[in-house]
Amino acid sequence: DGGITQSPKYLFRKEGQNVTLSCEQNLNHDAMYWYRQDPGQGLRLIYYSQIVNDFQKGDIAEGYSVSREKKESFPLTVTSAQKNPTAFYLCASSIDRGLGAFFGQGTRLTVV
Amino acid sequence: DAKTTQPPSMDCAEGRAANLPCNHSTISGNEYVYWYRQIHSQGPQYIIHGLKNNETNEMASLIITEDRKSSTLILPHATLRDTAVYYCIVRVQYNFNKFYFGSGTKLNVKP
């Protein structure tokens, strides 16, 4: 089945450690996105990538980094520079053929 | 991308139609209206989209006003499983623009 997979579903890290969230898609989509969602809030864009080896900052990119070495993969690293990293992180992909973005099921990151 | 305005919450009785409004008064001629919903702690799910004509699929209907400044998502027979946050987004199709999600409307379907 085609889809977008995020792993792990829950992640715990100590403060000051970098952590990488995985996002893989087998939909052959060119564009991929990372969002952050805080309790009771909408989604805020962190980074997006339109094509392999290219990515752009979203509204809240500070403290995050990404790579896009393969079309299928768009990992997000939450660095120690991110002041408030505890949140629900959503990855999405799109081919822009009318259906918009497909989302993964999210990773809930808790930093203690 | 045009901004959208949605009420923060709405209630609906189970079995009745749920009508969720969205205001997008600055929409451009080539921007589509998309609707997604998010059930608690899951990824958003695509519902429907349209440009200027009304659209219907197995999940919902989308009514877009003639001037395209607002739209309404209609769930014809709401069930308890339709309780979710509903997001209205406008963006250009065939363009790898960013998706901007606002705060959405929390729909509470009550028995």
Side-chain angles (χ1 to χ4, degrees):
Chain A
D1 289 333
I4 183 163
T5 303
Q6 291 185 242
S7 60
K9 190 172 176 66
Y10 299 95
L11 190 55
F12 295 86
R13 278 294 182 271
K14 291 184 178 180
E15 192 173 343
Q17 290 182 334
N18 291 353
V19 59
T20 297
L21 281 59
S22 169
C23 179
E24 303 278 333
Q25 54 99 357
N26 60 2
L27 300 165
N28 200 33
H29 287 174
D30 288 309
M32 296 186 74
Y33 312 79
W34 273 106
Y35 292 88
R36 169 184 171 134
Q37 188 174 37
D38 294 288
Q41 308 275 323
L43 280 66
R44 292 186 290 167
L45 183 68
I46 304 173
Y47 268 99
Y48 68 105
S49 168
Q50 298 180 10
I51 197 169
V52 174
N53 293 322
D54 182 68
F55 47 82
Q56 307 294 327
K57 292 182 179 180
D59 298 321
I60 55 166
E62 186 176 351
Y64 300 98
S65 66
V66 293
S67 63
R68 188 82 187 279
E69 296 177 2
K70 298 186 300 181
K71 188 175 186 178
E72 302 80 16
S73 179
F74 191 41
L76 173 75
T77 297
V78 184
T79 75
S80 56
Q82 168 52 234
K83 300 301 181 192
N84 187 19
T86 295
F88 187 48
Y89 290 89
L90 285 159
C91 180
S93 69
S94 73
I95 198 169
D96 267 345
R97 290 296 181 263
L99 290 183
F102 287 83
F103 283 83
Q105 290 304 298
T107 293
R108 189 167 299 280
L109 173 65
T110 302
V111 176
V112 295
Chain B
D1 290 329
K3 294 186 184 297
T4 61
T5 304
Q6 299 176 253
S9 66
M10 293 182 65
D11 292 336
C12 178
E14 188 178 18
R16 303 297 294 268
N19 297 292
L20 291 89
C22 180
N23 187 298
H24 32 79
S25 58
T26 60
I27 192 170
S28 301
N30 60 348
E31 287 183 312
Y32 284 68
V33 180
Y34 289 82
W35 281 85
Y36 287 79
R37 73 179 182 184
Q38 186 178 26
I39 296 170
H40 183 63
S41 296
Q42 297 183 23
Q45 175 191 23
Y46 165 84
I47 301 173
I48 199 167
H49 78 285
L51 181 63
K52 54 184 178 181
N53 297 322
N54 298 339
E55 302 288 343
T56 295
N57 63 20
E58 64 277 4
M59 289 182 68
S61 295
L62 174 61
I63 308 298
I64 302 174
T65 57
E66 193 169 342
D67 63 7
R68 302 208 325 120
K69 293 183 184 299
S70 65
S71 61
T72 301
L73 178 75
I74 301 173
L75 307 179
H77 304 287
T79 70
L80 298 178
R81 286 179 290 183
D82 291 322
T83 292
V85 178
Y86 288 78
Y87 295 99
C88 168
I89 302 157
V90 291
R91 68 184 295 242
V92 178
Q93 199 181 30
Y94 305 131
N95 186 332
F96 290 115
N97 271 353
K98 300 168 277 190
F99 276 99
Y100 283 106
F101 284 74
S103 299
T105 296
K106 175 66 189 301
L107 176 67
N108 299 299
V109 181
K110 300 185 175 182

